Amino acid sequence: MASFVAQTAPPSATVRFDKPTLFDVPISNNGGRCRFVIYKKNIERLVAVESPKVLGGLKSEAYLALNPQGLMPLLALPDGTSLPESQVIAAYLADKYRDEGASFDLPTPELRAADMLVQRIHDQYVAPIQGAMYKEMEIAQRAKAIERLAFQLDVLNRLVKGPFVAGDHLGLADAALFPTLAFCRFILPQYFGWEDLFVQRQQLGQYWAAIEADPAGAKVISEIEGGLQQWKDSGRWEERGIVEQVAQKEYRWSY
Ligand SMILES: N[C@@H](CCC(=O)N[C@@H](CS)C(=O)NCC(=O)O)C(=O)O
């Protein structure tokens, strides 16, 4: 258990943390972005990770008082500050714990811009449509989103310099991108008939290999894949009608 006390009312006045606490679950790709920074910096002793369930879940009064969006990840700080949004949390952790473990600093304005662009494309164009891989939705909407997802993966493939997003230096775009690729890699070949994600996207493939060879990267990948495997075992894609939709060949599903 994390070292904090949660009571019920009024939530904003009663939840206090004695160390920074990341609310998140292993399958979360947005959370994986923050967990990667924590693992690369070896700051597990300084930053706790807890499930939103300890506050009653994402839509509980106590959690909504900390993040009105009802989404994870969320970083709660001992001074009462709540930081939602994975980009903000990852950047805060990299900055706050600048002197611990790995650095996410990039040496030139051009590399920083390249890193920021990939974060922007991920957050603006990929994250909003990732649900097409695993959420319930109308068939035409799903097919359109899968087409857009393929397009955005192609865009990202051209932007990744290799081996990391901005070349030889690790940046925060690396933390953002691979957890979402873990979803794509697990789901698109199994449920949408794609061949290996990286056959047509070799820059992304090289990037994935570099992250997978990193112990912190491998740890986040295995957390996410473990969660996806649980979804698979529980029959998520059949239950939500996704398998049935993808069987309808008047739509294109693989790219
Ligand atoms: N823009 C947010 C997105 C957060 C988000 O969508 N989180 C997902 C998990 S990865 C979530 O909380 N889903 C639960 C829900 O939609 O109820 C971020 O980057 O943190």
Side-chain angles (χ1 to χ4, degrees):
M1 275 297 286
S3 40
F4 63 85
V5 178
Q7 296 168 6
T8 44
S12 55
T14 55
V15 182
R16 282 288 177 265
F17 306 89
D18 64 13
K19 63 158 87 166
T21 301
L22 182 75
F23 286 96
D24 191 28
V25 296
I27 196 173
S28 158
N29 61 315
N30 292 304
R33 178 182 196 163
C34 307
R35 298 195 307 275
F36 182 65
V37 176
I38 292 172
Y39 301 156
K40 283 299 292 177
K41 290 194 158 293
N42 286 314
I43 52 173
E44 290 93 327
R45 72 194 183 285
L46 302 174
V47 180
V49 180
E50 286 292 346
S51 166
K53 277 191 191 152
V54 302
L55 293 179
L58 289 174
K59 313 301 174 199
S60 69
E61 195 185 352
Y63 193 88
L64 291 173
L66 296 172
N67 182 7
Q69 311 287 354
L71 297 172
M72 61 194 155
L74 165 74
L75 185 69
L77 300 180
D79 70 357
T81 304
S82 286
L83 287 180
E85 293 299 320
S86 59
Q87 184 185 23
V88 174
I89 299 167
Y92 170 80
L93 292 171
D95 186 14
K96 176 81 179 173
Y97 301 101
R98 176 170 299 276
D99 299 332
E100 304 272 348
S103 171
F104 288 86
D105 291 344
L106 293 167
T108 68
E110 289 72 26
L111 293 178
R112 290 194 285 279
D115 180 277
M116 215 183 306
L117 179 59
V118 166
Q119 289 196 60
R120 181 82 179 156
I121 287 174
H122 174 272
D123 293 353
Q124 190 82 5
Y125 303 123
V126 179
I129 55 172
Q130 69 175 61
M133 291 187 283
Y134 55 86
K135 285 186 178 169
E136 214 163 328
M137 66 181 62
E138 198 263 313
I139 188 167
Q141 187 192 354
R142 187 185 311 285
K144 186 76 201 150
I146 294 292
E147 182 191 355
R148 293 306 295 168
L149 182 58
F151 172 78
Q152 298 301 344
L153 289 172
D154 292 343
V155 169
L156 288 165
N157 183 56
R158 288 197 292 277
L159 291 175
V160 167
K161 294 181 188 298
F164 300 115
V165 167
D168 293 332
H169 300 272
L170 200 61
L172 287 173
D174 295 294
L177 185 54
F178 81 87
T180 305
L181 289 183
F183 268 66
C184 297
R185 192 171 159 270
F186 188 95
I187 299 170
L188 294 171
Q190 281 195 73
Y191 291 104
F192 290 84
W194 291 37
E195 63 176 345
D196 184 295
L197 200 63
F198 302 132
V199 169
Q200 308 288 341
R201 301 173 185 90
Q202 290 192 356
Q203 286 299 104
L204 280 185
Q206 282 176 25
Y207 159 73
W208 177 266
I211 291 286
E212 212 175 22
D214 179 294
K219 183 171 176 181
V220 173
I221 291 168
S222 119
E223 290 168 350
I224 292 172
E225 287 180 348
L228 290 168
Q229 186 61 44
Q230 283 179 15
W231 278 4
K232 180 180 177 178
D233 295 343
S234 71
R236 180 184 181 102
W237 282 271
E238 291 77 9
E239 251 176 34
R240 284 170 171 68
I242 300 171
V243 168
E244 197 180 320
Q245 286 182 348
V246 175
Q248 301 196 29
K249 296 303 174 201
E250 62 267 36
Y251 293 94
R252 181 174 172 190
W253 301 108
S254 62
Y255 293 87

